[in-house]
Amino acid sequence: MQKIAIYFFVILFMPCFLFAQEQQYVSGFVIDKQSGEPIPGASIIIKGTTVGTTTDFEGLYTLNKAKIGDIIVVAYIGFRTQEKTIESFNSIDFTLEEDVETLDEIVVTGYGSQRKRDITGAVALVGAEQIDEINPIKIEQALQGTVAGVNISTQSGSPGAGLNIRIRGISTNGDASPVAIIDGYQGDLGTLNPADIETITVLKDAQAAIYGTIGANGIILITTKRGRKNTAAKVEIESSIGWQETSRTLPVLNAREYGILLNEAFTNDGRFPPISNVSALDEGTDWQDELFQTAPIQRNIISLSGGSETINYSFGASTLNQQGIVGLDKSGFNRQTLRSNIGIDLSKKLTFNTSLIFTHIERKSINDFGLGSVLFNAINMPSTIPVYNEQEEYTLAPSNLGIEIINPLAQVANTYNRYKLNKLNGSFGFTYNPFDGLSITSRVGFNTAFSKGRDFSQEINYGGKVFDVTRSTVNQNSINDNDYTFDTFASYKKDLYNHHFELTAGTTVFKTWGNGLFATGFDIPNNVWENADISLANGLNTQKATGSYSYDQRRLSFFGRLQYDYNEKAYVSALIRRDSSTKFGPQNRVGVFPSFSAGYILSEEELLADSDFVDFLKLRFSYGLLGSDKIGDFLYLSQLNGEGVYVFDDELSIGRAVGIVPNSAIKWEESEQLDIGLDFIFMQRKLNITADYFVKTTNDLLIGFIPVSGILGTNAPGSGSPTVNAGEVVNKGFEFMLSYKDYFGDNFSISAAINATTLENEVTKVNNNTGYIEGGGFGVGQLAPARMQVGFPIGYFYGYQTDGVFQNRAETILHPSQLALGATASPGDFRYKDLNEDDIIDENDRTYLGDPIPDYTFGFNLGLNYKNFDFSLYTFASLGQEMIRNYERVQVYANRLDYYIERWRGEGTSNSVPRLTTKPTANNVLSDFFIEDTSFIRLQNIQLGYTLPTKFTETIKIDRLRLYITAENLLTLTNYKGYDPAASNGSPIGSGIDNGFYPTPKTITAGLNLKF
C-alpha cells in the first residue's frame, strides 16, 4: 500500500530529471539544538523531488539517489525547516531549532496570520501534538483545561451529545456559544474528526472584532492538517479500542433500607406499615447496576501526506463507533469522515488551495434528560421491585408510584429512533502575489448538510402511566441546511527602515438557507420498528400530521485592519468591520465594530536586552466592540404564523393570524471588550507566563416577552410579546498561565503547564417592567427556579433559605406561618427564613441561593518522556459553582438517596434532613436543601505510550510504531451527590438544574500509532 501511494504521487507530481552524474547516498544525524537529543521521524527529502526518507530513533538517516549539488531539506513538526547543499558524500548532520511554542511561531488570527511575538491580543493556541495526547472524541474536549478562560460543559454523557463552550463567561441570555471558523469559513465543530486538526486558535478578546457581528462570544479558528512541500510521502495509521463504564452511581436505598423508611413514613402518620416483614428483605434490585453496562468504543484513522516543490497534499479518513453505557446500541454514535487538503503553486505568483471534509453520522438516543428520563426512573424505582415478572417480561411499575415512574429497562427496550446526517464542507481559493509585499486572496467556503430523523412510538401499556401509548406513531423529518462564505481580501506589507506596516482590507458575503419537512404517521403495521415508515402507516389523522419551515438569511461585510510596529518593539493594530444583515430591520440593519490593540516589548529595551534571566517581556492592551446576531429570524416583521379561528357561514374555521408582535427597532447585541495582558518568558525559555485582566460588557441583550397591551392579541395561540434590546451583562476576571519545559540529559524531558481563571458575572440591566427574567423548572408545578436579575449572576437560583428543622411543637407555633408554601409546619419539617419580616413565609421570602457559574477554573497538564516511554496527564478543576438537585421524585413510594438515613426521627436527631411522612408538607419547595456545591477536580486524561526501538521497526520496514493506553475521566473528586458536576443543559437561565444528567463515562483505551 505504501509503495503504491508513493508511486502514484511520484508519477503525478514529480517532474522528470536527467541525472548528469552518478548517484550515490548520503547519511547523517538530525539533532535537537536545545536538548542535544536525536530527532526520530524527521522528514529528509531532496529538494524539488519526492526522493526522501525519515530519521530513525537515533536521529540517523540514509538518503539514496543523491548527487553533488542536490539540496537536502529537513523538516519536522515543531522545528524550523533547514536546508543544506551536498558538496561531498561525507556525513551531513543537521541541528534543528525548536519552532513550536516559540516567539516565531505563526498563529492564525483571522484573514491572516502573525508571529506569536507580534500578537497584541489575548490569543490561545492548541497544537496537533497536544490534541494527539488528549485524543478527544470531540474537538471541544481538547480545550478543557488547556486554555485559560475557556470552560467546557457536557449536555449529556451519551455518545454524540453536544458540548457547551463558554469563553470568558456567559455574556447573553440567548445563544452564548462561540463561532467556529474552519480553514477560513464558518463551520461546525461537532462534525469534525479531531485527528484532522493541525491547530486550534481561540480569539478571546477584541481581536475577534475582525469577524464583527459573529465575534461577541469569541472565535475558534480551526486549521486542518496540510502536507508540507519537499516532504516524502508519509502514511500514518491509528487504531484503538476501548471500554466505557459509568463514572458514578448514586447511593440510593437498598430494599431493606427502603422498607424501613417507607414503614416509618406510614407509622409517623398513624397508618399501618405497608411492608410486613422488612427483615426478610435483602439488597433487592440495583436498578442502576441493571441499567449501566460496559460499552465498547473503537476508532480507526489513516492519513497520507507529503509534497513536492510545487504541491502539498494531505488526505485522511476515520471511523468512530461508540455505544452508550445505557442501552448500548440504543444510544450509539457512529461517525465516518473523509478529508482532502491540496495546495498547488500554479506559478511563482499564483497558488491554489482546496479543503474538503465529508462527514457521515448515525446516532440513536434514549430519553436521557429531564423528569421521566431513563436515569430518573432508575433512581426512583424502589429496590423491592424486580426487573422481570414471573412471565419473564418487564415488571410494570405499580400505580402507587405515580404516573411518571416506569421500569427503566423496559423504557430503553421500547425506544426506537435513528438520526442520519451527511455533510460536505470545505473551501477552495486562490492567492495571488503580483509583487513583493502584496497578497490577494479570494476563496469560497461552504457547508451543505442533509439529515433524516425517524422515531417510533410503539403501542404499549406501562400500567396507566404518562408513557402509555394507545396508538402507534412514527415521526419522520428531512432537513437541508446550507451556507457559503465568499471572501476577497488583500494584504500589503511595507518596511520603511525600522517602521513595518501591514494593511489588510476585504469583503465577505455570507448566506445561509435551508428547509425542513416533518410528518407523522399513525397505526404502524404489526406495531414493530421494521414497519415504522410513513409509507406504511395508513391510520387516519386526528391531529395535524405535517409541518415545514424554510429560511434564507444573508450578511454583507467590509473590513480593514492596519498593523504597525516600530523596530519589532512597539506594536499597534487597528481594525474596523461593517456588517449588514437581513436578520435586522432597516433601522438597524448595519453595525460597525471597531477595535484597537497595542503591545510593547520591554525586553528589547537596553536595560533588559542583555539579561540572562529575562528572555522576553511584552505588555499588551486591546479594546473593541463586537456583535452577535444569534437571534430568531425576522423578529422585526409581522408574520402570519399564529393560529386564528374565524367564522365563515356560521361555522368555525381554523386559519392563520398574526404571530409574535414584531419590533422594527431590534438590533445587534453588542459586546464591549477590554483586555490588559502580559507575556513573560525567562530562565532560558524554560518558564513562560501569560497573564490577562479582562472586562467584557454585553449591551443591548435581547429580551423576549416584553409586556405590551393585551389588545395586540399577545395571548392568542402562536402569538407573543415582542423581543427588545433591554439587557446588559458584565463579565470580568483574571487569566493566568504558567508553563515549564526542560531537558535532563539525553533520555529525559519534562513539560508542565498550569492555567487559572477567575470570573465575576453580573447582570447590570433588565428593562422589561419586572426587572428580571425567569427560567428553568423544578419539581412539578413549582415557581421558576432560575433568574436573570440586576445585581446577580445570570441564571442564579432563587428560592427559600432554610433555618434548620423544627424540633418540637413550640418552635412551629412561635415561627411565622408556612401554610402559604402548601402545608402547616410540624416538628421535623424545614424552618424557612422570614426574610422580609412580615410574619408570613411566602414567595416574597425567596432569595439568592447560588449560581451555576464557577468562580475559579484551573487546568494542570504534565508531560514526561524517558527513553522510549512517554507519559501525559491532563486535569481540570472548577470551583465555586452550584447546581439544583432535581432528580428525586417527591412521592411516598419512590426510592430515595441514602442521605435520608440521617433523617429527623425526633427532637435532636437531625437539623438538616426532614422527617418522613405520607402527608403533604412544604419540605419540597425549592430551598438551599436542594442546592449543592458542585466544585470538582477531574483527572480528564492520562496516557502512557511506548515507541518500539528502531532496530525492531527497521526489520518490519516501518518508520515508527507506538503503543499506548489511555484512561479518560478516571477520577472525579467532588462532594456533589449527582452523576456529573460538570454537566449543564447550556441554557444561560436554568443551566444548573440536574434532572438526572447522563454521566460522562470512564474510558480505558488501548491503541497504536503507525508511521511509514
Side-chain angles (χ1 to χ4, degrees):
M1 178 65 187
Q2 175 194 14
K3 292 182 179 179
I4 294 174
I6 294 176
Y7 289 160
F8 174 77
F9 285 103
V10 168
I11 294 171
L12 187 61
F13 298 124
M14 178 181 173
C16 296
F17 287 93
L18 295 176
F19 296 100
Q21 52 185 302
E22 184 181 357
Q23 300 173 353
Q24 298 188 34
Y25 74 89
V26 65
S27 62
F29 289 90
V30 179
I31 305 298
D32 182 341
K33 181 178 181 180
Q34 183 175 0
S35 67
E37 292 186 343
I39 300 178
S43 172
I44 316 294
I45 194 168
I46 297 176
K47 189 172 184 179
T49 75
T50 56
V51 176
T53 185
T54 57
T55 57
D56 62 20
F57 191 76
E58 284 76 28
L60 176 65
Y61 73 91
T62 300
L63 188 61
N64 296 314
K65 299 182 180 179
K67 66 181 188 297
I68 301 297
D70 282 347
I71 299 174
I72 301 177
V73 181
V74 179
Y76 188 71
I77 294 175
F79 291 81
R80 298 179 185 176
T81 300
Q82 192 176 132
E83 298 180 0
K84 285 186 180 181
T85 303
I86 301 176
E87 297 177 351
S88 69
F89 291 109
N90 296 324
S91 177
I92 302 177
D93 298 331
F94 292 83
T95 303
L96 301 188
E97 295 183 4
E98 192 175 5
D99 191 25
V100 168
E101 298 180 358
T102 66
L103 300 175
D104 291 325
E105 182 181 6
I106 301 300
V107 179
V108 176
T109 56
Y111 302 102
S113 59
Q114 288 181 280
R115 291 186 306 172
K116 201 169 185 178
R117 63 171 286 136
D118 300 337
I119 292 175
T120 53
V123 177
L125 181 70
V126 178
E129 183 177 353
Q130 200 165 27
I131 296 173
D132 289 342
E133 288 179 353
I134 299 171
N135 204 17
I137 295 173
K138 290 198 168 187
I139 295 173
E140 298 94 325
Q141 295 169 324
L143 300 175
Q144 183 75 306
T146 60
V147 178
V150 177
N151 191 21
I152 311 295
S153 60
T154 59
Q155 296 177 9
S156 167
S158 176
L163 297 171
N164 308 305
I165 308 177
R166 299 293 179 261
I167 298 177
R168 291 184 168 180
I170 299 175
S171 53
T172 177
N173 59 308
D175 187 347
S177 60
V179 170
I181 305 295
I182 304 170
D183 290 336
Y185 61 93
Q186 193 169 328
D188 175 19
L189 296 178
T191 59
L192 296 180
N193 169 28
D196 289 334
I197 306 306
E198 184 65 42
T199 61
I200 306 173
T201 304
V202 183
L203 306 183
K204 298 186 285 186
D205 68 343
Q207 290 276 308
I210 192 67
Y211 291 100
T213 181
I214 61 175
N217 298 322
I219 296 291
I220 297 177
L221 302 174
I222 301 293
T223 302
T224 57
K225 289 182 177 179
R226 298 180 181 276
R228 296 169 67 98
K229 291 182 180 179
N230 299 310
T231 303
K234 290 184 179 180
V235 176
E236 298 186 24
I237 296 174
E238 179 178 352
S239 182
S240 67
I241 186 168
W243 299 98
Q244 311 162 94
E245 60 183 32
T246 183
S247 53
R248 191 169 195 185
T249 57
L250 303 193
V252 297
L253 302 176
N254 62 33
R256 184 177 294 107
E257 293 167 338
Y258 169 83
I260 292 172
L261 269 63
L262 180 63
N263 282 351
E264 181 179 312
F266 275 76
T267 56
N268 283 344
D269 299 330
R271 301 175 63 186
F272 188 79
I275 300 179
S276 58
N277 187 8
V278 173
S279 61
L281 298 174
D282 53 17
E283 295 292 318
T285 303
D286 187 333
W287 286 98
Q288 294 175 92
D289 186 59
E290 295 285 346
L291 191 65
F292 288 122
Q293 296 175 276
T294 300
I297 177 172
Q298 185 175 11
R299 282 182 280 190
N300 296 291
I301 302 166
I302 184 170
S303 66
L304 170 67
S305 64
S308 66
E309 184 72 19
T310 59
I311 295 175
N312 65 80
Y313 57 88
S314 177
F315 306 100
S318 73
T319 64
L320 167 67
N321 298 303
Q322 182 183 15
Q323 293 190 7
I325 57 175
V326 177
L328 295 179
D329 189 52
K330 287 279 188 172
S331 60
F333 178 73
N334 297 324
R335 182 185 68 206
Q336 291 85 41
T337 66
L338 294 172
R339 173 185 56 83
S340 170
N341 275 341
I342 300 175
I344 304 174
D345 292 341
L346 300 176
S347 69
K348 292 183 178 180
K349 296 183 178 182
L350 182 64
T351 61
F352 171 76
N353 290 283
T354 180
S355 170
L356 291 174
I357 301 174
F358 173 76
T359 305
H360 173 75
I361 288 176
E362 291 190 30
R363 187 188 182 201
K364 299 176 184 177
S365 59
I366 60 173
N367 182 355
D368 61 3
F369 183 80
L371 298 178
S373 70
V374 171
L375 290 171
F376 172 89
N377 286 318
I379 296 168
N380 290 283
M381 274 288 284
S383 47
T384 54
I385 299 176
V387 176
Y388 302 98
N389 59 24
E390 294 178 354
Q391 290 75 39
E392 295 299 319
E393 298 174 341
Y394 288 112
T395 302
L396 295 179
S399 59
N400 60 19
L401 280 175
I403 61 173
E404 300 96 351
I405 301 174
I406 62 173
N407 186 325
L409 276 78
Q411 186 177 12
V412 171
N414 296 321
T415 296
Y416 301 94
N417 61 74
R418 176 170 291 177
Y419 169 81
K420 292 184 179 181
L421 169 71
N422 289 313
K423 183 173 184 178
L424 180 66
N425 58 283
S427 65
F428 57 89
F430 295 88
T431 298
Y432 180 58
N433 302 99
F435 54 84
D436 188 34
L438 179 63
S439 173
I440 302 172
T441 299
S442 185
R443 67 189 179 206
V444 174
F446 65 92
N447 294 273
T448 182
F450 296 88
S451 65
K452 292 183 178 180
R454 179 167 62 113
D455 68 79
F456 170 49
S457 296
Q458 186 180 45
E459 183 179 334
I460 194 166
N461 178 21
Y462 287 106
K465 308 289 184 173
V466 292
F467 297 99
D468 291 352
V469 178
T470 58
R471 189 182 189 192
S472 62
T473 60
V474 58
N475 298 297
Q476 291 181 245
N477 64 73
S478 178
I479 297 174
N480 172 222
D481 296 307
N482 308 276
D483 66 63
Y484 71 78
T485 305
F486 177 52
D487 298 322
T488 299
F489 58 95
S491 179
Y492 178 67
K493 296 180 180 180
K494 183 68 176 177
D495 297 336
L496 298 173
Y497 301 102
N498 292 325
H499 303 275
H500 309 286
F501 299 87
E502 182 175 356
L503 177 64
T504 302
T507 181
T508 294
V509 176
F510 176 78
K511 178 178 178 178
T512 178
W513 73 100
N515 57 74
L517 180 63
F518 304 83
T520 301
F522 302 89
D523 302 333
I524 309 305
N526 300 324
N527 197 34
V528 294
W529 164 249
E530 290 73 15
N531 294 336
D533 190 276
I534 290 179
S535 63
L536 301 176
N538 299 316
L540 297 177
N541 298 345
T542 57
Q543 60 192 55
K544 185 178 180 181
T546 60
S548 66
Y549 71 85
S550 63
Y551 64 96
D552 184 344
Q553 294 289 349
R554 284 152 285 171
R555 185 171 63 240
L556 174 64
S557 308
F558 300 93
F559 58 88
R561 176 174 60 203
L562 174 63
Q563 294 168 292
Y564 164 80
D565 75 80
Y566 170 71
N567 201 26
E568 296 188 344
K569 179 169 65 175
Y571 296 83
V572 174
S573 175
L575 62 89
I576 190 168
R577 176 156 174 151
R578 179 188 184 274
D579 285 326
S580 57
S581 171
T582 55
K583 282 197 173 185
F584 302 93
Q587 297 182 40
N588 294 297
R589 180 153 291 171
V590 175
V592 178
F593 306 97
S595 172
F596 172 84
S597 61
Y600 194 84
I601 301 179
L602 296 175
S603 54
E604 293 294 322
E605 294 295 334
E606 185 177 351
L607 180 64
L608 297 175
D610 298 325
S611 172
D612 294 331
F613 180 75
V614 177
D615 300 306
F616 182 78
L617 178 60
K618 178 173 70 176
L619 296 177
R620 295 179 281 104
F621 169 85
S622 67
Y623 174 81
L625 299 179
L626 302 91
S628 175
D629 65 350
K630 293 185 176 184
I631 66 170
D633 295 342
F634 305 117
L635 296 180
Y636 66 93
L637 290 175
S638 180
Q639 302 180 66
L640 287 174
N641 54 8
E643 297 180 19
V645 179
Y646 304 91
V647 178
F648 291 105
D649 297 328
D650 296 326
E651 292 185 0
L652 293 178
S653 300
I654 298 176
R656 292 290 187 180
V658 174
I660 295 176
V661 176
N663 172 18
S664 60
I666 197 169
K667 61 180 182 179
W668 320 90
E669 290 187 350
E670 189 174 81
S671 180
E672 180 182 3
Q673 302 196 15
L674 168 71
D675 184 276
I676 300 172
L678 167 74
D679 299 318
F680 184 25
I681 303 174
F682 56 104
M683 291 184 63
Q684 298 180 339
R685 297 197 175 187
K686 295 178 182 178
L687 286 171
N688 187 335
I689 292 176
T690 299
D692 287 87
Y693 170 73
F694 65 89
V695 179
K696 182 166 67 172
T697 304
T698 307
N699 303 296
D700 297 321
L701 264 67
L702 292 166
I703 296 177
F705 305 108
I706 299 296
V708 295
S709 173
I711 199 172
L712 297 176
T714 56
N715 293 323
S719 184
S721 301
T723 298
V724 302
N725 299 91
E728 182 179 282
V729 175
V730 177
N731 288 276
K732 55 186 175 181
F734 291 91
E735 294 174 357
F736 176 83
M737 186 278 293
L738 170 65
S739 63
Y740 169 78
K741 187 172 186 178
D742 201 2
Y743 297 86
F744 300 90
D746 296 335
N747 296 318
F748 181 66
S749 66
I750 182 173
S751 61
I754 184 171
N755 63 77
T757 304
T758 72
L759 182 64
E760 181 183 340
N761 177 283
E762 182 181 1
V763 176
T764 53
K765 183 193 296 183
V766 180
N767 288 339
N768 66 341
N769 292 345
T770 64
Y772 60 84
I773 305 173
E774 294 182 321
F778 177 78
V780 178
Q782 293 201 37
L783 299 172
R787 282 191 172 190
M788 173 183 175
Q789 186 173 353
V790 174
F792 297 94
I794 190 169
Y796 81 97
F797 306 133
Y798 191 66
Y800 300 93
Q801 283 188 351
T802 60
D803 188 22
V805 173
F806 290 115
Q807 298 297 319
N808 51 56
R809 178 63 62 185
E811 290 183 2
T812 64
I813 295 173
L814 295 174
H815 191 71
S817 172
Q818 298 183 172
L819 181 61
L821 304 186
T824 301
S826 298
D829 289 337
F830 279 128
R831 178 194 295 113
Y832 296 107
K833 292 183 179 181
D834 182 15
L835 297 182
N836 64 354
E837 299 181 349
D838 63 353
D839 288 331
I840 296 176
I841 307 298
D842 58 18
E843 64 180 78
N844 297 317
D845 292 298
R846 291 184 296 163
T847 187
Y848 171 89
L849 298 178
D851 65 84
I853 301 174
D855 299 323
Y856 309 95
T857 56
F858 301 90
F860 174 71
N861 314 316
L862 175 67
L864 302 172
N865 288 275
Y866 178 70
K867 293 187 177 180
N868 290 30
F869 290 93
D870 60 89
F871 172 84
S872 64
L873 177 148
Y874 288 82
T875 64
F876 179 75
S878 182
L879 307 177
Q881 73 276 9
E882 288 82 26
M883 192 178 292
I884 297 178
R885 190 176 69 250
N886 191 39
Y887 45 76
E888 298 167 279
R889 176 68 172 98
V890 182
Q891 210 277 346
V892 174
Y893 287 92
N895 204 359
R896 302 174 185 269
L897 267 64
D898 66 358
Y899 66 81
Y900 269 98
I901 293 175
E902 306 299 327
R903 67 207 174 279
W904 186 91
R905 300 184 303 281
E907 188 167 354
T909 55
S910 176
N911 200 38
S912 58
V913 181
R915 66 189 174 109
L916 296 173
T917 179
T918 62
K919 296 180 179 179
T921 72
N923 294 332
N924 299 309
V925 298
L926 179 63
S927 68
D928 50 20
F929 176 68
F930 296 98
I931 308 296
E932 292 190 44
D933 181 6
T934 54
S935 298
F936 69 91
I937 300 174
R938 173 169 286 172
L939 179 55
Q940 294 190 138
N941 184 284
I942 184 170
Q943 184 176 125
L944 176 65
Y946 177 75
T947 302
L948 272 66
T950 306
K951 293 180 180 179
F952 175 78
T953 56
E954 285 180 345
T955 61
I956 57 176
K957 308 300 182 182
I958 61 175
D959 295 331
R960 184 171 185 253
L961 176 59
R962 175 178 175 266
L963 307 175
Y964 68 87
I965 185 168
T966 299
E968 299 175 63
N969 301 308
L970 191 62
L971 177 66
T972 300
L973 301 178
T974 182
N975 290 325
Y976 182 57
K977 294 184 180 70
Y979 283 114
D980 190 353
S984 168
N985 63 27
S987 173
I989 307 175
S991 63
I993 302 174
D994 186 352
N995 295 311
F997 285 116
Y998 190 123
T1000 301
K1002 176 170 58 179
T1003 307
I1004 305 295
T1005 303
L1008 62 85
N1009 302 109
L1010 175 64
K1011 295 183 181 181
F1012 56 89

